Amino acid sequence: MTGIDVTEEYLRIAKEKVKDSGVRNVELILGRAEDIVPGRGYDCVISSYLAKYADLDRLIRNIRKMLRPGGVVVMHDFTYPSNRAFARIWGFYFILLQTLGAWRHPSWKPAFDGLPGLIRETDWMGRLQKLLREQRFTGIEAEPLLFGASAIVAAVSTGPADKEET
């Protein structure tokens, strides 16, 4: 198992959890997910809260290199709810998050403040599905969750990129 994160704090916490669990076959790497290709032959690549930030073109090309044929990619992230009533609740939630979250974690204030706008502006789901098709993934599925406030996109790899593409 390989974990990648751009945040040293998160990796430190992950290292503590790995150590406490006694699991030995875990590698944790500091860096941007789209910049790292830790190897080939992975069965699954999973990400959460990455798609809206990442260079999806590069990320999907590299995931294709990492996955074995039949391997699965699963990506989860926030989306802007299409239901107007739930969008109002979503907006209120972010006001609370910006207030209470910033009070509890002052260093995260810029993220809390910028997140609602970023979620409204990004079309990571449509872009991701398009890129997966272009990279010859199959079985592409997208499922909205929590009244459209988040979603999961999954697909199956047909194998690594051709030699001339690597």
Side-chain angles (χ1 to χ4, degrees):
M1 183 183 321
T2 303
I4 301 169
D5 201 285
V6 71
T7 311
E8 288 185 39
E9 178 185 1
Y10 287 2
L11 284 181
R12 181 187 53 76
I13 293 167
K15 286 177 184 176
E16 290 172 10
K17 289 184 177 192
V18 167
K19 182 180 175 188
D20 291 346
S21 74
V23 175
R24 297 177 187 259
N25 61 340
V26 177
E27 177 184 18
L28 299 171
I29 301 171
L30 178 65
R32 291 175 49 92
E34 61 265 49
D35 294 339
I36 297 171
V37 182
R40 295 182 184 273
Y42 281 83
D43 295 317
C44 187
V45 173
I46 300 171
S47 81
S48 193
Y49 307 117
L50 172 67
K52 66 186 166 300
Y53 297 113
D55 174 346
L56 284 178
D57 292 323
R58 189 166 183 197
L59 181 64
I60 297 306
R61 282 193 310 269
N62 286 342
I63 287 173
R64 184 169 169 232
K65 293 174 188 176
M66 291 186 292
L67 285 172
R68 66 168 176 74
V72 176
V73 58
V74 179
M75 298 184 82
H76 166 264
D77 211 327
F78 291 118
T79 53
Y80 186 73
S82 57
N83 178 292
R84 288 176 53 132
F86 195 75
R88 285 189 182 120
I89 294 168
W90 181 91
F92 180 70
Y93 167 77
F94 274 101
I95 290 169
L96 283 175
L97 186 63
Q98 289 165 335
T99 305
L100 298 176
W103 172 76
R104 176 80 165 91
H105 301 283
S107 65
W108 293 8
K109 184 173 179 8
F112 292 141
D113 289 347
L115 191 55
L118 178 62
I119 294 168
R120 278 188 196 98
E121 294 168 11
T122 186
D123 178 27
W124 70 266
M125 280 183 62
R127 180 121 179 88
L128 176 59
Q129 291 174 78
K130 177 182 180 287
L131 292 168
L132 290 167
R133 284 190 298 275
E134 288 173 0
Q135 289 295 318
R136 299 189 302 267
F137 281 77
T138 62
I140 301 167
E141 295 183 28
E143 184 174 342
L145 305 170
L146 190 62
F147 303 102
S150 68
I152 291 179
V153 175
V156 178
S157 174
T158 56
D162 300 327
K163 290 185 189 229
E164 63 269 9
E165 296 178 66
T166 58

